[in-house]
Amino acid sequence: MTLLDFARGPALEWALIIFVAGSLWRLVGAWLVRREADLSAPRSESTAAGGVRTVFSRFWPRKEFQSKTVYAWVLAYVMHIGLAIVVFLFTPHILFIEGLLGISWPGVSNDFVMFAGAVTIASMVALLVRRLTTPYLKAISNVDDYISWLLTLLPVVTGMMAYAHIGGPYPTVLALHILSVDLMLVWFPFGKLFHAILWVPSRAQLGAAMQRRGVKA
């Protein structure tokens, strides 16, 4: 068995199993966590509306914080949009998803995906530099932050190397790309990458709780 056979064979299969099982475990655990009953009189009954509002209101920083946070949230948007383009609009990725789930959609040109990948890498490096050079960010960062950053970056870098046929024989670089995706899938349910799934319910829960207290979050 070659390294490529291993990467897209048993390694990918186990990574997908761990990804699905770990994600279900996290979601069920979050659902079953015991919460203290709020015995105070609600100041508003529109908790559902408050939850929905907070899901969308957090896409943009409050006016009071915009000038001090514009650099960070622009980089974050660039990174997330770039990643979405690379992951979901690159034709080979769409073909992989179609083979796995039976659904597909049109892709974009490879040149545009490579551009998005380069922009994504640049934004991630800038965010890392900001984290390492900003005292309060550095103080609250832990190992999870850096592992999640690295395991997000590696698939993009190795994918671009495979597409450009640089860094070694193509089968080897492609195998390294798939193995980096395997590692990311394994880490996804257990690290901060899981915010890609939890951000909607966590925002909704916060918004509903604040609405009950009469706070417009």
Side-chain angles (χ1 to χ4, degrees):
M1 179 183 292
T2 65
L3 182 63
L4 182 56
D5 291 334
F6 171 75
R8 62 187 178 188
L12 180 58
E13 292 172 2
W14 276 106
L16 288 171
I17 291 172
I18 294 172
F19 170 78
V20 173
S23 296
L24 290 174
W25 175 73
R26 284 290 304 273
L27 289 172
V28 172
W31 180 261
L32 295 179
V33 67
R34 185 177 180 182
R35 299 175 180 82
E36 296 294 333
D38 190 347
L39 302 179
S40 63
R43 295 183 177 179
S44 172
E45 298 288 351
S46 305
T47 53
V52 172
R53 183 181 60 246
T54 303
V55 169
F56 294 98
S57 67
R58 297 304 175 93
F59 279 116
W60 203 257
R62 294 180 65 89
K63 184 178 179 181
E64 296 87 343
F65 306 118
Q66 287 180 4
S67 60
K68 294 183 178 179
T69 60
V70 62
Y71 178 68
W73 58 257
V74 167
L75 284 177
Y77 267 104
V78 169
M79 184 196 74
H80 284 88
I81 293 172
L83 274 177
I85 293 172
V86 170
V87 174
F88 296 112
L89 295 182
F90 188 40
T91 300
H93 294 169
I94 297 172
L95 293 174
F96 171 76
I97 295 172
E98 183 180 14
L100 191 66
L101 303 176
I103 57 175
S104 66
W105 51 86
V108 297
S109 72
N110 292 343
D111 289 342
F112 183 70
V113 174
M114 292 304 110
F115 172 75
V119 171
T120 300
I121 293 171
S123 62
M124 291 189 68
V125 171
L127 285 169
L128 178 65
V129 171
R130 179 176 179 270
R131 180 179 293 278
L132 292 173
T133 57
T134 306
Y136 70 89
L137 275 180
K138 188 175 181 180
I140 63 174
S141 298
N142 56 29
V143 175
D144 187 0
D145 291 299
Y146 298 108
I147 292 177
S148 296
W149 179 89
L150 181 62
L151 293 182
T152 303
L153 181 72
L154 283 178
V156 183
V157 173
T158 55
M160 294 185 68
M161 291 172 61
Y163 177 78
H165 291 251
I166 60 175
Y170 176 74
T172 301
V173 179
L174 180 60
L176 293 176
H177 171 59
I178 298 174
L179 285 172
S180 68
V181 175
D182 296 341
L183 284 174
M184 188 270 292
L185 289 172
V186 170
W187 180 256
F188 185 94
F190 310 107
K192 291 186 176 179
L193 294 179
F194 202 65
H195 78 276
I197 292 178
L198 282 183
W199 69 272
V200 172
S202 61
R203 283 187 186 184
Q205 182 185 29
L206 174 65
M210 292 297 101
Q211 182 73 23
R212 190 179 188 281
R213 299 177 185 179
V215 178
K216 195 173 182 179

